[in-house]
Each structure stands twice: as structure tokens, then as C-alpha cells.
Amino acid sequence: MNLRPPLHTARHATAAAVAATCALLIAAPVTAWHTVGHGIIAEGAVHALPAEVPAYFRSGGATVAHLAVDPDVFKNRKAAHLRACEGPEHYIDLELLEGKELPKSRYSFFKLCFKEDLVPENVGTVPYAISEWTERLTIAFAEHRKWPANPHIRSKSLVYAGILAHYSGDMCQPLHTTVHHDGRAGADHKSPRSGIHTQVDSLVERLGLKAQELAVRQQVKPYPDLFTGILDELQATRRQIDRVYELESQLPAGRN
């Protein structure tokens, strides 16, 4: 058992949120996606899980939602070592690789970056954060099958799921997958910081969406191969980049 279904569900839930926002453009106080919005998306993914997922986990949506915020908390400026490590886990500027295939392992990816004279943390590592935390959760579920009454195993599986949900949610935000992450970048790949990133980040809260609403009619399926599934989701997200920019003039103003 693993959390591949929530990864799949999270993309569709997020896509639905973006589409609905663009249609309704509801005005509401801005709260960045990395707080309330991440929790809503994570809890929605848990609500959408099928009955074969252990009951303790399906009832743990509120805990997963709380923990889904932690990867952004880890970027605290006072925790310099953690912040430096954590930052790249939330995005990937795929254009920098100029069409080269992403390797399956983090360190093979680093080797590719060095070969192409790229700095890995400038490219971003979110696919690897997702694959690694999925496997941590997979192991926790395997332990649960062997020791179903162990409360510590249950607790850590919810922790792993919350952290995984954050990175999965980030990869479902189109502007986390491109050099055009906050305005159309120039030839130097630098963002003009137009503010659109914050505008899109705040959409889930502006709609007032509920986790239960995002879980409705979701089709949850496992992926035959984990990393292939992650890359499929990444490409599905990237297909929405141009649409986001087409709607830029209609988005309500955001703030940091």
C-alpha cells in the first residue's frame, strides 16, 4: 500500500480548484497556498481514498492536513541549513534541462545537472521529494500490515503522508514547474516577479473550497511505476502553464 492514489487525486482536486476559481473569481482574504490551501488539498486527497486503505488513515485527514504545512515551516530563515536543503524540494524549472529526461534517482539527477553545467538547487527537486516520501510511506504501510495495532507506526504514516501531500500539492501548481514561476521569464530565465504566483497560490482559499468537495467523484488509481506516474503528473501540470497566463488579467490581486 502506498500514497500514489492521493498524489493522483491531489492533481485533479487542484486542477478543479483552479478551473473553478477562474470561472467564479471569488474575492476573499488572501492566505498563501502553503498554509490553509495545502491543508485543504491534503485532506481532500485523504477523503477520496478507497475503503481498502486502513480506516485509521482515512479518518486521519485533519492530521495529514496539519502536517502538510510543515515543509513550508521548514524554510524558516532562522534554520539556515534546513532552509537551504528544503527550498528546492518545492519546485522544478524543467525548461533548464532542455528536454533531457529526468533520471529516476536524486543523485543521478545531480550528475545530470553537473554535466549540463546546471546548479541542482536552481533546477529544483520536487519529483524526488515526492518519490522518496512515497516510498517512506509505503514502508510504513508495510509495517502496519505486519503490526496493525502499533500506534507509533500509525502516527508516522500520517506524518509521512502530510509531508508527501505538500510536495504533491506543489507539483500540481503549474507555476511550481517552470522558469515562468512569477511572470514570463526572459532569456536569462529570471522571473520578473509579477505577483501572479501569489495570485494563483491563493485561489484555493479564495474559493472557500472544502476538503470534502474536492474528494467528490475522484477516480483513485495506483500507478504501475511510481516515477513514471510522477512524471505523468508533472507533464499534466505543465500543460496548464499557458492557460494560467491566459487568465492572468482576470485573477484577483494577491499579496505576500
Side-chain angles (χ1 to χ4, degrees):
M1 181 63 69
N2 58 41
L3 199 61
R4 294 176 196 174
L7 167 61
H8 181 80
T9 302
R11 177 177 70 81
H12 290 288
T14 308
V18 171
T21 302
C22 293
L24 300 177
L25 294 175
I26 293 177
V30 176
T31 305
W33 190 320
H34 63 259
T35 52
V36 178
H38 264 298
I40 293 170
I41 293 167
E43 189 170 3
V46 175
H47 282 311
L49 290 172
E52 56 262 36
V53 175
Y56 84 88
F57 192 90
R58 287 185 285 110
S59 65
T63 300
V64 173
H66 172 83
L67 292 161
V69 178
D70 278 7
D72 275 337
V73 177
F74 297 158
K75 293 188 289 184
N76 190 301
R77 294 181 185 276
K78 301 281 188 183
H81 300 288
L82 181 57
R83 180 180 173 86
C85 174
E86 184 65 36
E89 302 285 81
H90 298 248
Y91 63 86
I92 185 163
D93 290 352
L94 203 60
E95 296 90 344
L96 297 178
L97 294 175
E98 298 181 338
K100 294 177 177 63
E101 184 177 352
L102 279 174
K104 286 192 172 183
S105 78
R106 181 183 292 266
Y107 290 102
S108 294
F109 167 71
F110 288 170
K111 290 178 182 177
L112 172 63
C113 288
F114 297 147
K115 179 181 177 181
E116 299 300 320
D117 198 26
L118 294 168
V119 179
E121 55 263 40
N122 289 346
V123 182
T125 54
V126 68
Y128 303 102
I130 293 170
S131 62
E132 292 157 10
W133 281 100
T134 298
E135 291 186 348
R136 290 183 180 102
L137 182 56
T138 301
I139 292 169
F141 275 137
E143 290 180 308
H144 172 72
R145 286 195 296 273
K146 188 169 183 178
W147 299 288
N150 189 313
H152 310 301
I153 293 172
R154 294 184 180 193
S155 295
K156 71 180 177 182
S157 69
L158 295 173
V159 173
Y160 296 169
I163 295 173
L164 170 59
H166 184 103
Y167 299 130
S168 299
D170 275 348
M171 197 179 73
C172 295
Q173 211 273 52
L175 302 184
H176 278 257
T177 68
T178 176
V179 296
H180 309 293
H181 55 85
D182 197 13
R184 291 289 189 182
D188 60 359
H189 295 142
K190 291 184 178 179
S191 165
R193 301 198 178 279
S194 67
I196 188 174
H197 195 108
T198 300
Q199 290 175 283
V200 176
D201 271 354
S202 67
L203 295 181
V204 175
E205 289 81 18
R206 287 176 179 277
L207 277 174
L209 292 177
K210 306 299 182 186
Q212 292 86 348
E213 297 171 342
L214 296 180
V216 174
R217 294 187 297 277
Q218 298 300 324
Q219 295 182 351
V220 178
K221 300 177 182 178
Y223 287 113
D225 178 77
L226 173 59
F227 202 72
T228 298
I230 291 170
L231 295 184
D232 287 347
E233 297 295 329
L234 174 59
Q235 292 302 331
T237 298
R238 284 180 52 79
R239 287 194 288 272
Q240 302 301 318
I241 295 169
D242 288 341
R243 183 57 175 157
V244 169
Y245 276 98
E246 288 172 5
L247 294 163
E248 182 174 11
S249 64
Q250 302 177 51
L251 295 173
R255 70 172 186 269
N256 291 327

